[in-house]
Structure formats: C-alpha cells, structure tokens
Amino acid sequence: MIYIIGDGIAGLTAAISLKLHGYDTVVITKDVYGGSSYVSKGGIAAALSSDDSPELHAEDTVRVGDGLCDVNAVNYFVKEASYAIDTLVKWGFRFDEDLRLEGGHSRRRIHHKTDETGRELTSFLLKKAVDLGISIVKDRVLSLIVKDGKLRSFITESRGLVGDTDALVLATGGYAYLWQYSSNPPTNMGDGIAMAFRAGALVSDLEFVQFHPTVTMINGETMLLSETLRGEGAILIDNNGVRFTFNYHKDGELAPRDVLARAVYTEIMKGRKVYMVFSNIKDFERKFPGVNKFLRRHGLNINSKIPVFPGAHFTIGGIRTNVKGETNIVNLYAIGEVSDTGFHGANRLASNSLLEALVMGINLPNYVNEPWEGPSTSDGKLINLKIPDGSSSLSIDEIRRINWELIGIVRHGEGLQRAMRMYAYHDMHSGTEESNAILLSYLTALSALIREESRGVHYRDDYPSRDSRWENKRIYLSLAPH
C-alpha cells in the first residue's frame, strides 16, 4: 500500500496517477479543504505558446532564483510542464483559453481557471479521486518509523501504528502560516517537514521564505491579491497617491516578488499606507470573479483603493529530494511545497509552485519501482545538529509574532540569535503542532543566521549584499544521532 499524506494538488495528482497505473493508494489528510492548493489564485506556469519555450521559462526561473537554482531540476520541470498540462486536460480539466502574465516572466505562460485556479483544480481532483475509488481518510500523522535507513511504518492520531507501508508520500505543504501576517490557512504549519527531520530526513533552504507583496484583510477576511492582477494592469500607490514601485525596480509592479515585498514593507515601515488599484484592468469582473465577489461582500468595487501588506506565502525550503521526490530515507517521498528540489533557488518564480507539485505528482508512478537514488548534497554545507531539550510550550499565536518580528522580511543576526534562544527553552520533540512549529522556526532562524548574505527572499540588513562564496551553495540540516 502507498500512503499519501495531504490532499492538495501534489497529493491528489499523485494518488490519481498511481491509481491509474494500478497501485493501491490511500490519502490521509487532517483537513480535506485545508492547505494552500485550495486557496491558490494565479495558475500554472508552462511554456506552450508559439512565442515561448521551455528554455525561456528556464532562463526566467534561474534569473529570479538568484544564483541558487539547481539547473538540472529547473530543466526537468520546465520540460515536463507540457505533459503535466496535457495530463490534466486528458483527465477532463479545462483551463481558460487566455494565458496570463506574472512578475518575473518574460512571456504570458500562466495557465489558469478564472482567478481561482487552485480551488477549481483541487475540487476537480477531489471528485476524480473519489470517482476512482481512492480512500480519503481524515486523520493526523504523528511520527514516522525509520529503521536502517528505510521507512517501515508511521503513527497516526486515530489509527495508531500503520504497518502495511510499501511507500509513504509526504504532500503536506509548507509552513508559511507560522508568520503573523500570512496568505496561508492555519493548516500550513510544517508538520510533515518536522516529522521527517526527526526521523532522519535532510532538510534544506529553510532560510528562504517567500513573502507575497499583496495580501489584504478587510473586515477580518484575508484575501491574496494574485500577481495576475498586476499582470493585467493593477497598480500600487501609497496614501498620497504616489505610484512608488518604480523607485525600487525598473519593472514596477511586475518586479520579482522579493523586491516588491520589501518595497511594500519599506513603505509601511515609513508610516505610509499601501493600496492596490484595479481601475486600469479591462473586463475586470469576467477576468477576476473571485476578487470581484470579495470586493462586493465588503461593499467595495473596481474603483476602490484596497489596502495591502506583505504576508508569508511560500516556503521554498523543506525536505531535500531529487526531482523524483526521493528523500535520503528509502521509501519516503516528499512532493510539492513540503519538498526542496532546488527548482526555486532563492526566490520562486510565480506559478512555478503548482507546476512543481503537478509534475512530481503525475510522474511519481514512473519512479516507485526504480532503484532508490535519493538526493545529492554535493552543492552545499551539511550541518548535523542536536535539538535543545526544552520542555515548556508556546502558543501558535506567540510563535507567529516572534517569527514576524525576528525572522521576517528584513532580518538581522542579533534578532535571529534572539529567536533561537527563545525557542531553545521550549519543546521541539513531542510531535504536537506547537512543537513542530517551534522546531521549524528554530531551524529557519539557524539557517538564516548561517547564511551571512542577502540573496533572493532572504534579506539581512547586517549583510545587505550577495556574497559570491554562497553562490550555488545551500544549507543542509540533519538531526545528529543520539
């Protein structure tokens, strides 16, 4: 039996693809409509138009990735993109006909379904999985059992020990909810990464947390204002009506996300308010029905100024895998945001995340019976560490506040050390959601402290420049043997 943990786009495509290839699969999820997939807005990057190519897509990805992309991984995903899109269409999903533009892309290559691609695609995949007879079980995985470098079984909250495990596929998403301001739902707290790390899996690139520049909250409802809005003409202004983005980058609102997030953050820290304006978008109601409904719910319209702020959005780092999803633990796969293939480098190109999830899920049956390779660590610095034995706990709200203040958009060595000292007094071992969150926050602060430079989404004001010694070099962490 192959167990898949998580029912987002990565997990569901893996379950469906495996089932269609004759494998027995069970999906376990702690919330059927949790995770980022259901709330993702933009779409899937794939170079399929006549003026585009996988090579151009790769160039854009590597440029935005700021000297840390695994080029082999980049080439793999951009070339597999057409097969992933074709597979979804073959399964019965229908994209809108037009391609959209997002920041960092040199061509229109974003395949979408209105402005609710994630919701539409997740709903479609859930229905297809049920129609195929795939069991989707609501439960929470607590720990992984590994012996002699192989995954043997795992433990869940309701079922206890699950022993009939030929392979386990973690598709549990990232941990961007662990910041006070976030576009993510509360399910995204990094449980899969924490479990795998405790079981001996390598993790990497945890310092690279991508903050989306345009999140809004109106009357307590949070909404991600997708990059495709800016691609179709939305602009950002401050409370004086000044369109400030070109002061930070020549591409203005279509600058890479890390640049734009810091720009919005800087304006807010100067005491200004930042707004998004949609009035330049033609045919707004048809193109963006989800945003339009959100505005109408709150008595607003296309001519309203919508307040925005940057929020933690995507965690680039995670469990280190190769492009097949293989970890350093035999029979343990990780796919989607929980994994770190090196595809995104130091800064994810917009809409490459759903592409990565789809390709890894759809292609998984090609690899499950191949000899195990696992990931390489030749491109980085491997650190074995012991985790402090703190015993008290912190609430998730306290963790989110600490991370926003000390491991946020702009970092400093002293603040990172302070965060590590605070977390060292608390439980990182028990497997509760709080202990998982504390462990991941500690490892993120440590990784950010080690990388004494600014690169991509990792910005330190005490090391504000890139350092060539860190070019193409990532940080790997592993749990030292007891």
Side-chain angles (χ1 to χ4, degrees), residues 143-208:
S143 62
L144 311 179
I145 310 299
V146 174
K147 185 178 180 183
D148 299 326
K150 288 187 177 183
L151 181 99
R152 305 294 181 174
S153 55
F154 61 99
I155 297 172
T156 79
E157 199 167 56
S158 299
R159 300 178 67 183
L161 183 68
V162 180
D164 59 334
T165 309
D166 297 314
L168 184 72
V169 182
L170 291 176
T172 51
Y175 57 102
Y177 183 73
L178 297 183
W179 278 261
Q180 187 171 11
Y181 299 99
S182 173
S183 66
N184 280 218
T187 48
N188 287 18
M189 292 194 284
D191 293 319
I193 303 172
M195 282 189 296
F197 179 78
R198 289 195 198 97
L202 291 172
V203 298
S204 53
D205 293 331
L206 296 182
E207 67 271 35
F208 296 109

Side-chain angles (χ1 to χ4, degrees), residues 32 38 47 82-83 102 119 137 187 189 216 220 224 244 267 293 322 327 336 338 367 373 380 399 404 441 482:
V32 173
Y38 194 72
S82 61
Y83 178 71
E102 294 188 329
R119 185 186 69 186
V137 179
T187 48
M189 292 194 284
T216 190
L224 175 73
F244 61 88
E267 293 296 309
K293 288 177 184 175
N322 56 20
T327 71
V338 72
Y367 309 127
E373 294 179 356
I399 295 165
W404 181 259
S441 301
H482 293 298

Side-chain angles (χ1 to χ4, degrees), residues 118-341:
R119 185 186 69 186
E120 296 287 339
L121 183 53
T122 306
S123 298
F124 168 83
L125 293 171
L126 274 168
K127 183 179 185 303
K128 186 165 186 66
V130 171
D131 289 347
L132 288 171
I134 296 170
S135 295
I136 299 175
V137 179
K138 191 170 181 180
D139 200 350
R140 179 169 175 260
V141 179
L142 301 178
S143 62
L144 311 179
I145 310 299
V146 174
K147 185 178 180 183
D148 299 326
K150 288 187 177 183
L151 181 99
R152 305 294 181 174
S153 55
F154 61 99
I155 297 172
T156 79
E157 199 167 56
S158 299
R159 300 178 67 183
L161 183 68
V162 180
D164 59 334
T165 309
D166 297 314
L168 184 72
V169 182
L170 291 176
T172 51
Y175 57 102
Y177 183 73
L178 297 183
W179 278 261
Q180 187 171 11
Y181 299 99
S182 173
S183 66
N184 280 218
T187 48
N188 287 18
M189 292 194 284
D191 293 319
I193 303 172
M195 282 189 296
F197 179 78
R198 289 195 198 97
L202 291 172
V203 298
S204 53
D205 293 331
L206 296 182
E207 67 271 35
F208 296 109
V209 178
Q210 188 173 63
F211 292 81
H212 197 288
T214 52
V215 182
T216 190
M217 180 183 286
I218 298 174
N219 299 326
E221 183 182 358
T222 300
M223 178 79 166
L224 175 73
L225 298 178
S226 163
E227 209 156 312
T228 54
L229 285 157
R230 288 177 271 123
E232 295 299 314
I235 64 171
L236 296 174
I237 61 173
D238 65 18
N239 49 296
N240 297 314
V242 175
R243 189 178 177 185
F244 61 88
T245 55
F246 288 92
N247 297 335
Y248 294 88
H249 195 278
K250 64 180 178 62
D251 293 334
E253 285 86 2
L254 291 177
R257 283 182 179 175
D258 63 314
V259 176
L260 202 59
R262 283 196 295 274
V264 174
Y265 177 80
T266 300
E267 293 296 309
I268 291 172
M269 293 305 290
K270 288 178 180 177
R272 301 185 183 113
K273 293 182 179 178
V274 176
Y275 300 93
M276 183 176 276
V277 178
F278 304 133
S279 52
N280 291 338
I281 299 177
K282 295 179 181 178
D283 206 8
F284 173 78
E285 292 186 8
R286 180 186 66 80
K287 289 180 177 176
F288 299 101
V291 178
N292 187 53
K293 288 177 184 175
F294 172 81
L295 296 179
R296 292 176 63 182
R297 276 199 299 275
H298 299 287
L300 304 170
N301 57 51
I302 189 174
N303 296 311
S304 303
K305 295 190 302 183
I306 309 303
V308 295
F309 55 86
H313 180 59
F314 183 85
T315 45
I316 291 171
I319 304 165
R320 183 60 178 175
T321 72
N322 56 20
V323 295
K324 300 175 182 180
E326 294 173 343
T327 71
N328 61 300
I329 297 172
V330 177
N331 298 331
L332 177 65
Y333 296 87
I335 61 174
E337 191 177 353
V338 72
S339 71
D340 177 25
T341 62

Side-chain angles (χ1 to χ4, degrees), residues 33-147:
Y33 291 101
S36 292
S37 290
Y38 194 72
V39 297
S40 64
K41 305 296 180 185
I44 302 157
L48 301 184
S49 61
S50 59
D51 68 339
D52 203 357
S53 69
E55 290 75 21
L56 284 173
H57 188 180
E59 287 177 16
D60 292 345
T61 300
V62 170
R63 183 185 67 255
V64 170
D66 203 7
L68 203 68
C69 287
D70 182 320
V71 176
N72 291 329
V74 172
N75 290 333
Y76 172 81
F77 285 112
V78 299
K79 288 176 181 175
E80 290 293 316
S82 61
Y83 178 71
I85 295 293
D86 289 347
T87 298
L88 288 181
V89 173
K90 180 181 175 183
W91 288 352
F93 188 74
R94 295 291 176 261
F95 291 96
D96 291 348
E97 291 185 4
D98 64 310
L99 296 175
R100 290 188 176 169
L101 179 69
E102 294 188 329
H105 289 273
S106 60
R107 297 289 189 276
R108 286 183 172 268
R109 62 169 69 102
I110 311 306
H111 300 252
H112 67 99
K113 186 75 169 177
T114 68
D115 58 343
E116 295 284 1
T117 306
R119 185 186 69 186
E120 296 287 339
L121 183 53
T122 306
S123 298
F124 168 83
L125 293 171
L126 274 168
K127 183 179 185 303
K128 186 165 186 66
V130 171
D131 289 347
L132 288 171
I134 296 170
S135 295
I136 299 175
V137 179
K138 191 170 181 180
D139 200 350
R140 179 169 175 260
V141 179
L142 301 178
S143 62
L144 311 179
I145 310 299
V146 174
K147 185 178 180 183

